[in-house]
């Protein structure tokens, strides 16, 4: 009597065997440029900080790339395959004729999708003889994910956590410590760059740009140390496609044909992971699905940015990336959806958007929390503030269906849960959550 | 290549169709007594505060009780069936020849097993025409669970939250508010009993006993209001057996024969839910499994209490229950495992213990956190402080196997995750976590 689409699961054997690489198919993808020469970046421009296979994948245009068996085995520990679930109660509450499904990246013990690429990166670095991975983290999700999976391959992790968050979010620091990572408040005394900044600006609350510079400095200096990035670049998008590939298998299994697919977009990894396999189908002429990226009004790179070359980081040290950007010196307002506070957008997502393969909408913080609370009340899951953006767009679509009577099938990605970051909900319930527009 | 016991899952259709009732099989079960008359309590003694079917189940000695279809459907939203997973990495870290499996109640969106009975109770109350459920909550897990599932049946929830927690754990209050519950700091101005206490002790930080009294007062006064309890009583143990029944099906599927089964025990609902189906097999002579209840040194009712009639609450208002107890006026030291801070033990668990069908051990707080951090580091999941007790016992068993060379199969229940309560881990990592012995 339980409807077969109430929750669509896959066996562990059905974890995808290869990632999908949109770089093989999307037209108009421009290469990154070396910022000094202005020439297309060469593998050497990346190999100072990334291990060999990551550099290869970053530049690859092969359509499918095999997922190593050891990575697949370990995806189980991130609770893959994740469920595709139907939001019956939310549909009822909205009185919509639309069907709403959601892909559950909240089920990872890390609480979000970030582990999918962290795991692959840790594996390749271990294979390449790397002993230490360095990274930056803002709110802490990415640093937590990398710290956790590095353990699986006996790799040490050094995380530079933006000083403001380091002081305000001690629990994220605790999590990283539990997973065995070294965590430095950035700027730190541990790097030359950090010491310089501390001397010049002893009271700074830090920034992602500074933290990236510190992490990269260690990777450049030490042969057995590499850097790991949680979003934006092509190899990260690639690894995240396990989400969308699973979703495709699940939709096929339960005979679900999506009219709309929705995901939030900051640097773009959740959106890419969830939608690229469907965008592939669109390019092949096998799908007319409406694909929607949802941004915060605080960082509306697709909806209000320009498509041009810009630095990936704030300090202006990375190769130049062809992407939608608000300018690398744009500092987004503080919002609870810290994972969406990015000035640019993944070059692959940007290319797909430029080609009209997807569209974008943006929302203000309070309306996304309103949507998240409605979802939590009816579906029981407390969403991450980032995920609330996708939920808001899905609800709006469902309400349009109520107005028009269309029985659309809406599928969105629940990128993570919000249980470690409940403060935003507290503000929302107390009526003190600020606008971010 | 993925071993079939790496993670054993069940389909939604395999959610158990009936609960197992140990009251049918355990010898020496004594009835609750009316505290005024000293006579065995009658259904009327419970029906002032509980709905009809709950009263019936509380006194039932039927071996199996059907799970209503609507309850089974909704167990999906608690992510049932939950996984049974093998702790390969932990085994490797311990260099043990033992196999370690764990049942994952952390996968519920509520973060613990509490929803299993909350759901059944909300359903029966809705069937009985009840509009409002009242309850008490200490740390907040039970109140959160009841608030969440009550939504599924359009029941309002009123939660009396112990004032100390209300002030110290605002996020739990936020969660309950999101789920639509009314939450009062207890003692409150909302009840006669609360007003009286406030007048006499305006600065009290409250207690579970006071909160229970306030919740029951509302249930007694209003025909359409009932009370819901999260542990101790027979019907709660009954509803939790979905955990153990699923585990039985999973062990059969993956050909796992448990030598030891371990769960933490406060009021007893997690322990009962996980182990009663195996205890049933022991009574039938089909199992010789060593079954272990793990208590905190702060509330060692089985290991240091007496088996006698005592009140279930602190205030001395409930029927007298035949159980292991430290005395109803025993106030356990403050520990992070708030769910284990109870002076007594479920009468069913107590009877099984008295009959030698299970044994008990107790641990001090720091050693349980040490075990939890080791587990998190290797398995990636941050356990609830309560679950750390089971983990500690499982690790000790595995280390004994290392010493003896025995290849035992150890199966424990991970009752929940600790992501909403990371403060204890912070203390542990900082070296400031106090002993509770």
């Amino acid at each position: 009597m339980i409807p077969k689409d109430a929750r669509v699961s896959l066996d562990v054997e059905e974890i995808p065997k290869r990632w999908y690489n949109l770089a093989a198919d999307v037209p108009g993808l421009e290469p990154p440029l070396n910022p000094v020469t202005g020439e297309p970046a060469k593998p050497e421009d990346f190999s100072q900080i990334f291990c060999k296979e990551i550099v290869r994948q970053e530049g690859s245009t092969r359509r499918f790339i095999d997922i190593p068996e050891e990575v697949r085995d370990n995806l189980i520990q991130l609770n893959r395959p994740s469920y595709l679930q139907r939001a019956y109660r939310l549909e009822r509450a909205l009185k919509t004729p639309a069907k709403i499904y959601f892909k559950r990246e909240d089920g990872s013990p890390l609480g979000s999708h970030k582990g999918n690429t962290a795991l692959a990166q840790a594996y390749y670095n271990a294979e390449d003889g790397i002993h230490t991975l360095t990274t930056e983290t803002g709110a802490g999700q990415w640093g937590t994910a990398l710290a956790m999976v590095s353990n699986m391959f006996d790799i040490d992790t050094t995380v530079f956590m933006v000083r403001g968050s380091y002081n305000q979010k001690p629990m994220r620091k605790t999590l990283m410590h539990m997973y065995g990572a070294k965590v430095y408040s950035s700027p730190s005394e541990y790097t030359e760059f950090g010491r310089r900044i501390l001397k010049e600006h002893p009271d700074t609350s830090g920034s992602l740009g500074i933290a990236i510079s510190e992490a990269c400095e260690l990777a450049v200096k030490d042969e057995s140390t590499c850097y790991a990035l949680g979003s934006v670049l092509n190899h990260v998008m690639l690894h995240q496609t396990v989400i969308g590939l699973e979703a495709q298998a699940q939709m096929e299994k339960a005979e679900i044909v999506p009219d709309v697919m929705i995901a939030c977009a900051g640097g773009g990894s959740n959106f890419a992971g969830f939608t690229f396999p469907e965008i592939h189908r669109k390019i092949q002429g096998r799908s007319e699905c409406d694909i929607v990226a949802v941004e915060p009004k605080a960082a509306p790179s697709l909806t209000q940015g320009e498509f041009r070359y810009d630095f990936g980081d704030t300090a202006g040290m990375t190769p130049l990336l062809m992407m939608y950007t608000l300018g690398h010196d744009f500092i987004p307002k503080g919002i609870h959806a810290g994972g969406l506070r990015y000035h640019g957008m993944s070059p692959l997502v940007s290319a797909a958007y430029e080609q009209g393969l997807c569209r974008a909408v943006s929302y203000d913080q309070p309306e996304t929390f309103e949507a998240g609370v409605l979802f939590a009340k009816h579906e029981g899951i407390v969403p991450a503030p980032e995920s609330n953006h996708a939920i808001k767009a899905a609800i709006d679509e469902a309400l349009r269906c109520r107005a028009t009577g269309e029985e659309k099938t809406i599928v969105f990605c629940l990128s993570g849960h919000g249980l470690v970051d409940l403060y935003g909900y507290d503000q929302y319930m107390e009526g003190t959550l600020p606008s971010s527009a």
Side-chain angles (χ1 to χ4, degrees), chain A residues 15-232:
Chain A
I15 290 174
K17 294 197 168 53
R18 46 192 204 166
W19 293 297
Y20 168 65
N21 184 9
L22 186 67
D25 294 303
V26 70
L29 188 65
E30 301 288 342
L33 302 181
N34 179 308
V36 179
T37 65
E39 296 293 311
K42 300 198 177 89
E44 304 88 83
D45 292 331
F46 290 103
S47 57
Q48 267 202 313
I49 55 169
F50 292 122
C51 75
K52 285 193 208 78
E53 181 58 26
I54 293 296
V55 174
R56 237 189 316 264
Q57 291 184 356
E58 186 57 29
S60 173
T61 53
R62 272 180 53 205
R63 184 165 291 121
F64 293 102
I65 293 176
D66 287 345
I67 306 180
E69 204 156 311
E70 211 166 336
V71 172
R72 289 184 72 233
D73 285 359
N74 283 293
L75 284 170
I76 295 175
Q77 284 200 270
L78 304 180
N79 288 347
R80 303 220 74 86
S82 70
Y83 296 135
L84 180 71
Q85 196 161 317
R86 182 155 172 195
Y88 275 112
R89 294 182 173 280
L90 181 64
E91 291 172 17
R92 224 170 296 154
L94 298 172
K95 298 187 175 67
T96 179
K99 292 178 186 168
I100 305 175
Y101 297 90
F102 56 106
K103 179 72 173 157
R104 293 197 52 187
E105 296 302 302
D106 66 299
S108 164
L110 291 162
S112 84
H113 71 295
K114 286 289 181 191
N116 298 327
T117 182
L119 182 54
Q121 292 189 48
Y123 169 77
Y124 288 122
N125 277 283
E127 285 289 290
D128 213 11
I130 299 301
H131 297 309
T132 303
L133 279 171
T134 66
T135 198
E136 76 290 342
T137 200
Q141 283 98 331
W142 169 244
T144 307
L146 193 68
M148 190 269 233
V149 302
S150 294
N151 282 326
M152 298 181 181
F153 302 102
D154 292 321
I155 286 185
D156 294 330
T157 315
T158 300
V159 181
F160 292 91
M161 187 172 187
V162 177
R163 192 195 265 179
S165 297
Y166 186 91
N167 293 332
Q168 278 166 31
K169 302 206 167 192
M171 293 309 139
R172 284 282 181 190
K173 187 178 56 185
T174 300
L175 273 176
M176 289 185 271
H177 280 158
M178 283 171 66
Y179 289 138
K182 280 189 201 142
V183 185
Y184 295 98
S185 171
S186 169
S188 77
E189 294 285 353
Y190 195 64
T191 65
E192 266 178 49
F193 185 73
R195 287 190 291 274
R196 206 172 77 209
I197 297 283
L198 280 175
K199 205 167 174 186
E200 291 166 15
H201 310 281
D203 297 326
T204 178
S205 59
S207 76
L208 269 178
I210 296 167
I212 291 174
S213 302
E214 290 199 275
C216 288
E217 180 182 319
L218 295 191
V220 170
K221 271 189 187 161
D222 184 334
E223 282 270 304
S224 71
T225 297
C226 273
Y227 169 70
L229 186 70
S231 194
V232 183

